[in-house]
Amino acid sequence: MFDILSFSEKLDMPKKEDALVGRSEPIATAKTHYVNGHNLKGPYPENMRHIIVAMGCFWGVERLFWKISGVYVTAAGYTGGFTPNPTYEEVCTGKTGHTEAVLVVYDPKILHLDEILKTFWEQHDPTQGMRQGNDIGNNYRSGLYLANDEDLKIAQKSKAQFEKALQSKGLGSITTEIALEGPFYFAEDYHQQYLAKNPNGYCGLKGTGVTCPIS
């Protein structure tokens, strides 16, 4: 088994050599999206693009994005850490380095990356470090993980714009991790589209009330 880190330890990232070992094979997950029936893990249509977002507990985050016109599929998962193919229980220990994240596959002819970024910034508080509201730990940190250098630059520019808007309202600096994507590990079946299956389930999303000035 694995030990759960103390409160203070969960606010730090583990070193790679200290992370849980994980496994070589992916954990079992759903085959199709519960809401729209699309293949969860692909293949996706050739024209689709994607981004990985982390905004705290992935249940509410996934629902936020599957409702947006132009989104082809969403999936809950884990990214940003060290442990290959982790389980939910392992991620919750804080010893994988992963954050709860959502893969958003979208049609760029319908939905622009800037619109996704605007939703991302406005619908959570990106200034909280290793937490989101009452959800505390490195597995709840804010993050943007991009598919290529062009998207990365767009995301970094949006961060600078929103940070100015936040600071004009007396709020702190953005702590969001912005990087090129690494491996994305799909979460267990029961996490996929959780709030479609459990409409009254927990959703921790809460924005700052500040508008992101992306044109």
Side-chain angles (χ1 to χ4, degrees):
M1 287 296 292
F2 38 82
D3 297 324
I4 297 177
L5 297 179
S6 68
F7 176 85
S8 60
E9 288 176 310
K10 286 195 70 175
L11 297 178
D12 297 321
M13 281 287 285
K15 295 179 180 179
K16 184 176 182 179
E17 59 268 25
D18 296 329
L20 296 178
V21 175
R23 55 201 48 79
S24 60
E25 295 296 322
I27 59 174
T29 191
K31 292 183 178 180
T32 59
H33 195 278
Y34 182 79
V35 176
N36 61 32
H38 293 158
N39 289 335
L40 195 73
K41 301 176 73 171
Y44 311 122
E46 291 185 3
N47 63 313
M48 296 295 154
R49 299 179 67 177
H50 71 274
I51 183 174
I52 300 170
V53 300
M55 305 164 63
C57 176
F58 48 22
W59 294 344
V61 179
E62 189 181 12
R63 180 174 62 181
L64 173 68
F65 282 97
W66 83 53
K67 291 184 174 183
I68 298 176
S69 177
V71 170
Y72 180 79
V73 80
T74 57
Y78 316 111
T79 197
F82 307 111
T83 301
N85 301 301
T87 65
Y88 177 70
E89 289 75 16
E90 289 171 340
V91 171
C92 286
T93 68
K95 297 183 72 174
T96 69
H98 290 301
T99 185
E100 293 188 19
V102 172
L103 171 68
V104 180
V105 180
Y106 66 98
D107 186 343
K109 294 181 180 180
I110 300 173
L111 180 64
H112 194 275
L113 177 58
D114 279 344
E115 297 175 81
I116 295 175
L117 292 171
K118 183 177 175 66
T119 299
F120 171 83
W121 293 122
E122 291 181 351
Q123 297 301 317
H124 80 302
D125 184 347
T127 70
Q128 296 191 51
M130 299 297 187
R131 67 182 298 166
Q132 196 61 212
N134 292 326
D135 296 323
I136 299 171
N138 59 45
N139 54 310
Y140 296 114
R141 69 186 186 276
S142 174
L144 282 171
Y145 306 95
L146 294 308
N148 54 61
D149 288 328
E150 180 182 356
D151 287 357
L152 179 66
K153 291 177 181 178
I154 293 172
Q156 290 170 332
K157 181 180 178 181
S158 73
K159 173 190 173 184
Q161 291 174 311
F162 192 52
E163 193 162 55
K164 288 182 180 178
L166 288 171
Q167 292 175 346
S168 72
K169 300 295 185 180
L171 298 175
S173 298
I174 288 175
T175 59
T176 301
E177 181 176 54
I178 301 179
L180 290 174
E181 66 183 11
F184 177 84
Y185 301 105
F186 288 81
E188 295 83 345
D189 188 341
Y190 74 95
H191 287 301
Q192 303 301 337
Q193 301 81 62
Y194 181 87
L195 291 179
K197 304 168 186 174
N198 303 275
N200 296 319
Y202 171 76
C203 175
L205 281 178
K206 185 177 181 181
T208 61
V210 178
T211 300
C212 181
I214 296 178
S215 59

